[in-house]
Amino acid sequence: DDAGLRPASLPDPADPDAASNALPGTDDLLRAAAPAIIAPPTVIDKVVTAGRGDTMMGMLTKAGVSREEAHAALAALSKAFNPRRFRAGQDLTVTFRIDGGPANPEAAAAADSEADSEAGAEGRFTGLSLEKTYAERVVVDRDEDDRFRVRTEARTLSETPARAAGTINSSLYVAATKQGLPVPVLTRLIRAYSWDVDFQREIRTGDTFEVMYTEVRDESGAVVHYGDVAYAALRLSGELYPLYRYTTRDGETSYFDQKGRGAQKALMRTPIDGARLSSGFGRRRHPILGYSKMHRGTDFAAPKGTPIYAAGDGVVDYRGRKGGYGNYIRIRHNDSFSTAYAHMSRYAKKATKGARVKQGQVIGYVGTTGRSTGPHLHYEILKNGQQVNPMKVRMPSGRKLKGQELDRFQAHRAEVDRQYAAIAPNTKVATSD
């Protein structure tokens, strides 16, 4: 029997309880000798929202990125997106990675200590991402050489048709928003009718509206964009005025009535969005001069800075100060018609004297320069050099579809009517892209 030769401190191999008799600290020694088990890396996305005056560099450093790496990442980003165009309210996703370390606590603590010396508290900065448009996302990450690169990803989107309709009791805006019509869609609706409808004077209690448009949704089903108005109709004083969005064979997209007559005229009656008609054309008591005087234009009250559009294609033949008009622009459209815009706070950069402008192009911004009691646009239409009432002048007609183009439009119109009838009011039905 060799039991007496074995040190009392070593376990007996024949003893089934040998493990429980092991020397104190043996488990620790075995654990330390075993190969380390590496945990998978952890990716951390930190979403930060830009505030007023924030820069992307400041946002990155505040999120824990070194200035050197932030500069390198923004240099890569600038190839696809100008960091100066990043605006207050936009989200920036900053990505960090914590590489996996040994699973046992002692080794993990040592690895964490070493990693902290090479990375921020969130881990190692690996890139950033942001939404460039509702349809695209810009991503900056590291390549195989550990340098920053940029790529643009198309988002997976789907289109959903939507319909809204209602009766107007006070204003189109109140009625439409009450029925859930988004403001951007309402703005497009008003612009489609802006050549023919005076929304201040022609809307009556009991008039109705209906509209079909698209909602663009992301992978989660959230609405990220409101698309075009495919169809709209206003019933004013009992008469229906429908409009259909249609693209001709030659690529022109515009709105046409049920007979194929273009809604777009040579000149817009209201070259501004969301404004209130504050003074019409005709004799009135002047608010500053204090006596009756002919008002040879139309005034639209709007907040300072509201964009003003060119009423039609043409050439800027005057830009500058002009007496009581203040900051003033005049556009010559053809041999007969010109339009004028007064009291601007400032001009658009491209609306210089002699510049060609397109209908709907921003030429300036609402202000209160010159003889003015508050911010508004004074708008004039001049025919053969004489101011005429913008709300009553007969506008040059738009395009009229004929022949095979008209037949093609009528088939499109019938399909749009079918689609509209298939959607329950104020509900959305998913369709393929």
Side-chain angles (χ1 to χ4, degrees):
D1 184 5
D2 58 358
L5 302 177
R6 186 181 302 110
S9 59
L10 294 179
D12 183 350
D15 185 353
D17 297 326
S20 62
N21 297 326
L23 288 172
T26 302
D27 289 344
D28 296 335
L29 294 173
L30 294 174
R31 236 185 346 257
I37 300 174
I38 305 300
T42 300
V43 175
I44 299 174
D45 286 333
K46 180 184 286 188
V47 180
V48 290
T49 303
R52 185 178 297 275
D54 282 347
T55 64
M56 295 189 76
M57 173 63 79
M59 294 171 67
L60 287 173
T61 54
K62 189 175 181 179
V65 182
S66 70
R67 292 191 65 84
E68 182 180 358
E69 291 209 315
H71 179 78
L74 293 179
L77 174 69
S78 64
K79 297 176 182 178
F81 178 83
N82 185 349
R84 293 183 179 180
R85 297 184 62 187
F86 200 68
R87 295 290 181 260
Q90 284 187 265
D91 289 338
L92 178 67
T93 301
V94 187
T95 303
F96 299 89
R97 188 185 69 194
I98 300 177
D99 290 328
N104 65 76
E106 293 82 357
D112 286 346
S113 177
E114 182 178 352
D116 285 343
S117 65
E118 299 179 356
E122 297 288 357
R124 185 166 185 261
F125 171 59
T126 60
L128 58 88
S129 61
L130 59 92
E131 291 180 7
K132 183 177 181 180
T133 67
Y134 73 90
E136 291 182 322
R137 188 171 185 83
V138 180
V139 178
V140 173
D141 57 11
R142 295 179 186 265
D143 62 16
E144 58 275 6
D145 296 322
D146 208 32
R147 292 177 297 192
F148 288 108
R149 63 184 176 184
V150 65
R151 68 179 189 275
T152 301
E153 296 179 345
R155 302 179 66 188
T156 301
L157 304 171
S158 61
E159 291 188 353
T160 303
R163 161 182 169 175
T167 300
I168 302 170
N169 293 317
S170 57
S171 72
L172 175 61
Y173 177 86
V174 172
T177 52
K178 185 178 292 186
Q179 292 300 318
L181 188 67
V183 172
V185 178
L186 176 59
T187 298
R188 296 186 186 107
L189 169 67
I190 292 173
R191 188 174 295 177
Y193 283 96
S194 64
W195 287 274
D196 286 314
V197 176
D198 177 355
F199 284 94
Q200 299 295 326
R201 298 185 178 185
E202 295 184 36
I203 301 295
R204 301 284 186 270
T205 299
D207 289 344
T208 63
F209 76 93
E210 52 189 38
V211 59
M212 182 172 73
Y213 59 100
T214 56
E215 292 178 336
V216 181
R217 297 174 178 271
D218 63 13
E219 302 92 330
S220 68
V223 176
V224 295
H225 179 71
Y226 296 105
D228 298 312
V229 171
Y231 160 77
L234 295 176
R235 186 175 294 278
L236 308 177
S237 299
E239 187 171 352
L240 188 66
Y241 297 89
L243 289 179
Y244 298 82
R245 181 179 172 85
Y246 173 71
T247 302
T248 60
R249 288 184 184 274
D250 58 11
E252 178 190 348
T253 299
S254 190
Y255 287 95
F256 299 84
D257 68 12
Q258 70 272 37
K259 295 182 179 181
R261 296 174 298 197
Q264 182 172 343
K265 306 298 190 294
L267 297 177
M268 300 167 66
R269 294 186 192 274
T270 55
I272 189 171
D273 288 334
R276 173 179 59 85
L277 180 68
S278 56
S279 184
F281 187 95
R283 184 167 291 277
R284 64 167 185 173
R285 184 176 179 83
H286 196 280
I288 293 179
L289 300 177
Y291 56 82
S292 293
K293 186 177 185 294
M294 188 66 179
H295 187 237
R296 300 185 182 277
T298 303
D299 289 349
F300 297 96
K304 182 179 178 181
T306 300
I308 298 168
Y309 307 116
D313 295 355
V315 176
V316 177
D317 67 0
Y318 189 102
R319 173 182 137 160
R321 296 285 297 192
K322 189 175 176 65
Y325 284 116
N327 292 335
Y328 174 92
I329 279 182
R330 187 174 63 233
I331 300 173
R332 176 173 49 81
H333 301 286
N334 54 33
D335 291 340
S336 300
F337 285 94
S338 296
T339 53
Y341 316 78
H343 306 309
M344 294 182 175
S345 60
R346 59 190 177 94
Y347 310 107
K349 291 182 179 179
K350 294 184 179 180
T352 57
K353 184 176 180 180
R356 289 192 170 274
V357 294
K358 302 292 290 183
Q359 188 175 64
Q361 178 180 331
V362 175
I363 58 171
Y365 302 88
V366 168
T368 185
T369 56
R371 194 177 296 131
S372 169
T373 57
H376 71 283
L377 165 66
H378 174 84
Y379 173 56
E380 294 180 355
I381 294 181
L382 299 93
K383 185 176 183 180
N384 298 321
Q386 299 295 316
Q387 293 106 330
V388 295
N389 190 338
M391 299 303 169
K392 292 185 178 181
V393 64
R394 184 177 179 82
M395 297 291 189
S397 62
R399 181 174 182 175
K400 295 180 181 179
L401 303 179
K402 298 178 181 179
Q404 292 184 346
E405 190 71 80
L406 179 59
D407 293 340
R408 184 169 174 262
F409 166 75
Q410 293 296 2
H412 170 77
R413 181 175 72 87
E415 175 61 20
V416 170
D417 288 342
R418 185 198 65 77
Q419 291 177 0
Y420 181 80
I423 306 173
N426 303 322
T427 62
K428 292 85 180 176
V429 179
T431 61
S432 59
D433 290 340

